Amino acid sequence: MAYLIYLITGILAGIMGGLLGTGGCALMMPVIRFGFNFDPAIAVGTTLTAVVFTAASGAIQHIKMGNVEGETAKITGYSGVLGVIIGSIVFNYVKNYGDLIDLIIGIAFIIVSLRMLYEGLQRRPSNIHQNLPSAQEIPGSPTQKSILGSIIGFLTGIIGLGGGYALVPSYLYLFKAPMKLAIGTSMASFIWMALVGSIFKLVAHTVNIPVAVVLGIGAVIGAIYGAKLVARFSSTTLKLLFGLLFLYV
């Protein structure tokens, strides 16, 4: 019965992850952490491993739909790997301090969730994306994107959320990217971060492998449909969903 719940959770997480560009980690994490009382370190490692499945599936769908800016995804993703390695090393020192891990995750989400709720509750779209050079490009220099990738990779190594929770708002507010392009590029960017991070978590024995696989299989199924739903929602609606989800976490 527990594994059926894991599968359903994975499917729902995949739908939300593909829709919002987060990889579904923000739904998986609280379910296994609070619903099944996983140790915080195990919850981090298991979630990050499951997110690898979601990121790959969702990214493929977004690439097909033209929602990915390849150059930005490569720069952010590759630089993020270095950050993940450093963050994973730090994680090995804090993995026995569950309350600290919970606190770090909460702080990471609160500012982003409030900003997204503010934008999403506006009756008219924000002018943040006006005067862009192209709807298929994310502004910003390679250096800026490399720094962003390294920072988010570092956080990914510690809190195991795949990076999408920070990549989407960073692309939006730092680089003024269109919402749907930010979502798709986020999915493509953090595949490598999640993969490298999960390898470190496996080596550290902080992954419940059977649970991660079941969550991952469900998430792959859900991510395919979640990515397709992006075209049916306005930017403000997506921001509202994003903010509510993260406020819950």
Side-chain angles (χ1 to χ4, degrees):
M1 186 61 180
Y3 281 92
L4 177 60
I5 296 175
Y6 293 141
L7 181 63
I8 294 173
T9 298
I11 293 173
L12 294 175
I15 292 174
M16 294 300 292
L19 177 62
L20 300 176
T22 67
C25 49
L27 182 58
M28 293 184 213
M29 173 72 78
V31 168
I32 64 174
R33 171 70 185 92
F34 304 117
F36 289 91
N37 200 31
F38 272 46
D39 175 82
I42 301 296
V44 167
T46 302
T47 299
L48 186 57
T49 302
V51 164
V52 175
F53 295 83
T54 324
S57 177
I60 290 171
Q61 294 302 314
H62 279 291
I63 289 172
K64 291 179 180 178
M65 296 165 63
N67 291 338
V68 176
E69 205 257 89
E71 189 64 24
T72 296
K74 289 178 182 178
I75 294 172
T76 309
Y78 293 159
S79 61
V81 168
L82 176 60
V84 166
I85 293 173
I86 298 173
S88 296
I89 293 172
V90 173
F91 175 79
N92 287 333
Y93 289 98
V94 302
K95 65 182 181 181
N96 294 323
Y97 300 93
D99 290 342
L100 176 61
I101 295 174
D102 285 340
L103 178 63
I104 293 173
I105 292 173
I107 293 173
F109 275 12
I110 191 66
I111 297 176
V112 172
S113 67
L114 292 176
R115 180 64 185 264
M116 283 291 187
L117 284 172
Y118 172 76
E119 293 283 348
L121 289 170
Q122 289 183 331
R123 291 186 175 275
R124 58 186 177 79
S126 169
N127 63 0
I128 193 171
H129 306 314
Q130 292 180 0
N131 302 319
L132 291 178
S134 169
Q136 292 303 313
E137 293 181 2
I138 295 180
S141 69
T143 300
Q144 291 173 324
K145 294 172 184 178
S146 294
I147 293 173
L148 173 67
S150 298
I151 293 173
I152 292 178
F154 175 76
L155 292 173
T156 298
I158 296 177
I159 62 179
L161 294 177
Y165 71 95
L167 278 173
V168 172
S170 293
Y171 287 150
L172 284 175
Y173 302 122
L174 296 180
F175 298 139
K176 309 300 187 291
M179 183 65 180
K180 292 171 185 177
L181 194 62
I183 290 173
T185 305
S186 167
M187 293 289 286
S189 296
F190 69 65
I191 292 175
W192 301 111
M193 299 185 203
L195 180 60
V196 172
S198 68
I199 292 173
F200 272 88
K201 301 300 183 287
L202 285 165
V203 172
H205 304 292
T206 56
V207 178
N208 185 318
I209 297 177
V211 173
V213 171
V214 174
L215 285 170
I217 291 173
V220 166
I221 298 171
I224 295 173
Y225 296 100
K228 292 179 180 179
L229 287 173
V230 169
R232 299 177 180 270
F233 290 85
S234 67
S235 294
T236 52
T237 300
L238 291 175
K239 289 175 184 177
L240 181 59
L241 288 172
F242 203 128
L244 288 172
L245 180 63
F246 282 178
L247 189 62
Y248 164 67
V249 176

